[in-house]
Amino acid sequence: CLTRLSLNMSKNESSTKKTHEQDMTTNTIEQNFFLTPHFSLKEMTASATATQLHIINCPNATQIARLKALCEHVLEPLRQHFGAIRITSGFRSERLNDALCANSLSQHTFGEAADIYVPNRERGLEMFRFICQHCTFDQMLLERKRKTPSFWLHVSYKSDRRYNRNMAVDLTEHYRDFK
């Protein structure tokens, strides 16, 4: 994923290095590349669907910068307040986004959005309120998969494309306990 990022290769490194050595360096960087203290590029690009369908889910330098901004402005403050959080969907390549039948203009494809697992509606509302009160964000949706007890929080942050709207919607408002 990081072969396109010149910032990860020192200027003093010879341009004549063997491809194998560059691949080993890139793989090491990719495995250990953290966008912020608690969020890695690997975590923000992980996808079971991409693995299953052999889709390369690799952001470019601009998308990585946007993921970093999302982590800095929303995910890190959330992590510091609530402890460990699990990202269920971060960056999505266009091909992965298509495979998921998602909106073609999804902020996930720009590196601006993440979905966060929440164990129940109450915890989701706590996180929702925290982000509303303490973070700048573009869009936040507390969502639930129909007829299941599965909840997630979708949150996005725009670092270089227009302004952040701070739009927050609880789509679980009419939720009934799943039994």
Side-chain angles (χ1 to χ4, degrees):
C1 273
L2 299 179
T3 54
R4 292 180 234 148
L5 287 180
S6 60
L7 66 131
N8 290 314
M9 299 297 281
S10 130
K11 289 181 181 179
N12 296 333
E13 289 182 356
S14 168
S15 61
T16 59
K17 279 192 172 186
K18 295 178 186 174
T19 304
H20 177 70
E21 289 174 356
Q22 287 176 338
D23 288 344
M24 287 176 55
T25 304
T26 301
N27 289 338
T28 303
I29 292 169
E30 182 179 340
Q31 295 297 319
N32 299 316
F33 186 77
F34 274 76
L35 300 165
T36 60
H38 297 103
F39 296 96
S40 68
L41 181 59
K42 182 179 179 181
E43 176 180 15
M44 296 301 291
T45 59
S47 168
T49 302
T51 301
Q52 181 183 22
L53 298 177
H54 306 289
I55 295 172
I56 296 171
N57 192 39
C58 183
N60 63 34
T62 301
Q63 293 160 330
I64 290 172
R66 290 174 181 157
L67 283 169
K68 181 177 173 61
L70 171 66
C71 291
E72 289 171 342
H73 293 275
V74 182
L75 302 180
E76 277 294 336
L78 193 65
R79 165 72 161 80
Q80 290 169 6
H81 186 78
F82 289 96
I85 60 174
R86 187 172 69 185
I87 305 302
T88 57
S89 181
F91 172 77
R92 295 181 197 152
S93 66
E94 287 183 26
R95 187 165 171 228
L96 175 58
N97 201 57
D98 290 345
L100 294 169
C101 299
N103 184 316
S104 63
L105 297 176
S106 169
Q107 287 183 280
H108 289 276
T109 63
F110 294 98
E112 297 174 338
D115 294 340
I116 304 160
Y117 166 79
V118 292
N120 54 52
R121 184 169 187 264
E122 293 72 29
R123 185 61 157 191
L125 285 171
E126 289 173 13
M127 292 177 161
F128 185 92
R129 289 183 195 112
F130 176 85
I131 292 170
C132 281
Q133 294 170 0
H134 301 284
C135 301
T136 299
F137 61 95
D138 182 52
Q139 181 185 65
M140 181 171 49
L141 307 169
L142 181 57
E143 301 182 78
R144 161 183 165 258
K145 189 173 182 180
R146 288 183 177 199
K147 300 181 181 180
T148 73
S150 298
F151 291 87
W152 68 94
L153 189 62
H154 168 91
V155 66
S156 65
Y157 178 84
K158 290 182 182 177
S159 60
D160 64 350
R161 295 183 330 118
R162 294 179 281 158
Y163 61 93
N164 285 291
R165 299 171 289 176
N166 289 325
M167 182 188 86
V169 180
D170 175 4
L171 297 174
T172 68
E173 204 169 9
H174 302 291
Y175 167 76
R176 289 188 205 120
D177 286 332
F178 175 77
K179 300 207 181 200

